[in-house]
Amino acid sequence: MNKFFFYTLISFFLIINQTMSEKKKLTVSLLDYGAGNVRSVRNAITSCGYSIIDITSPSQIDTADVIIFPGVGSYHSAMTVLKSTGYDIALRSYLAADRPYLGICLGMQTLFESSEEYNDEHSGESTSNVTQLPGLGVIPGKVIKFDETQRSVPHIGWNGTIAHQNSPAMKYMKSENGGGEGEGSEVYFVHSYYAPITETNSKWVLTRTTYEGQEYISSVQKGNVCATQFHPEKSGRTGLNFIKGFLEVSSLVVVVVVVVVVVVA
């Protein structure tokens, strides 16, 4: 082992140790596109010890340490705003680079290819006059509506989760019934549309949930891209622990990127 590599390795671990002990240095970039109140999300982030900067232009996406997108409102409205402001292009580039991202509720749904919600909003219009906007297209599949003839819609309230894979984001989520990380933990949902599990998106599934007989994706993760159908900011200690775990591992990702840049330089 040459001296350069040895000292680089020592520096790497020193920086990681310093960053993990001073996690406030990581700044969370919040993508609030103006559709609703995200105060609870802000409170959740700051309660975990992190500072926030609001994204007000697409150029800020490229320089972000980590992005949290607490989408609220309708799928079509969200994609219309993202497209008209240029956020969609910047987000696709950011996500393609596997950089730290947490989407919440609509922030998860927009990761898929499309949604029935757009069609429902324009059900009275001629299809020739409606141009369907695609989602960000990161995850294969279409978001569809719960069958109102079979269950109460929207799905509002607490529900459990079943883990499909392990994730550092869930390391602080402990089930009261003795399950594994995140297994069986109850979290809070408010939604009328869901993403079904398919063969093409199954590798993305972090947890699944069943609502009155209908199984669906309740959270996703691949690499550093993570998103939830549930609202962690409204899920009490369990939700805060999810955000805490996600931001801690995001801190490590930022450190690794910095070290790699220094070594290459």
Side-chain angles (χ1 to χ4, degrees):
M1 180 184 296
N2 61 52
K3 290 184 178 180
F4 174 77
F5 180 78
F6 175 76
Y7 288 124
T8 299
L9 192 62
I10 294 298
S11 299
F12 175 81
F13 285 111
L14 287 174
I15 294 173
I16 287 180
N17 181 65
Q18 181 180 7
T19 301
M20 293 307 293
S21 62
E22 301 177 9
K23 64 181 180 181
K24 289 184 180 180
K25 290 186 177 180
L26 178 73
T27 300
V28 176
S29 294
L30 189 67
L31 180 54
D32 175 12
Y33 69 98
N37 186 0
V38 295
R39 181 181 300 175
S40 56
V41 177
R42 293 179 185 277
N43 291 340
I45 294 169
T46 56
S47 69
C48 290
Y50 296 87
S51 58
I52 300 171
I53 184 170
D54 289 298
I55 295 176
T56 57
S57 71
S59 62
Q60 289 177 280
I61 291 176
D62 184 55
T63 59
D65 290 335
V66 54
I67 292 175
I68 292 184
F69 178 21
V72 293
S74 73
Y75 184 97
H76 179 250
S77 296
M79 287 310 305
T80 297
V81 172
L82 293 180
K83 186 175 177 62
S84 65
T85 56
Y87 285 144
D88 62 330
I89 296 174
L91 274 174
R92 287 189 181 99
S93 177
Y94 181 94
L95 294 165
D98 190 29
R99 296 175 62 189
Y101 171 93
L102 175 60
I104 297 174
C105 195
L106 195 60
M108 185 189 90
Q109 293 186 2
T110 52
L111 291 176
F112 288 84
E113 294 171 307
S114 62
S115 172
E116 282 185 352
E117 185 170 4
Y118 179 81
N119 294 329
D120 288 350
E121 289 182 345
H122 295 78
S123 58
E125 299 180 26
S126 168
T127 55
S128 61
N129 297 325
V130 175
T131 302
Q132 184 165 343
L133 289 176
L136 295 173
V138 176
I139 305 175
K142 181 178 182 178
V143 176
I144 61 178
K145 191 173 186 178
F146 283 117
D147 186 349
E148 294 177 283
T149 67
Q150 300 296 317
R151 59 193 54 82
S152 301
V153 179
H155 171 208
I156 301 178
W158 297 83
N159 208 335
T161 61
I162 298 176
H164 273 229
Q165 57 176 300
N166 294 321
S167 168
M170 298 196 297
K171 70 177 181 178
Y172 297 114
M173 294 173 65
K174 300 298 182 181
S175 172
E176 294 181 359
N177 59 17
E181 292 179 354
E183 189 79 19
S185 301
E186 287 206 337
V187 286
Y188 193 78
F189 293 88
V190 182
H191 62 121
S192 298
Y193 296 79
Y194 70 95
I197 301 173
T198 66
E199 185 176 345
T200 56
N201 66 30
S202 60
K203 291 183 178 180
W204 275 91
V205 180
L206 179 58
T207 63
R208 74 178 191 272
T209 294
T210 299
Y211 172 56
E212 294 187 6
Q214 178 61 63
E215 186 177 78
Y216 64 91
I217 300 173
S218 50
S219 64
V220 296
Q221 181 168 14
K222 181 180 282 189
N224 299 307
V225 178
C226 183
T228 65
Q229 180 60 68
F230 59 85
H231 288 267
E233 80 283 5
K234 297 179 180 178
S235 299
R237 176 53 54 186
T238 296
L240 287 178
N241 284 341
F242 183 89
I243 293 175
K244 176 183 177 182
F246 169 78
L247 290 176
E248 279 193 6
V249 73
S250 297
S251 299
L252 275 175
V253 172
V254 172
V255 170
V256 170
V257 170
V258 171
V259 171
V260 170
V261 170
V262 170
V263 172
V264 171

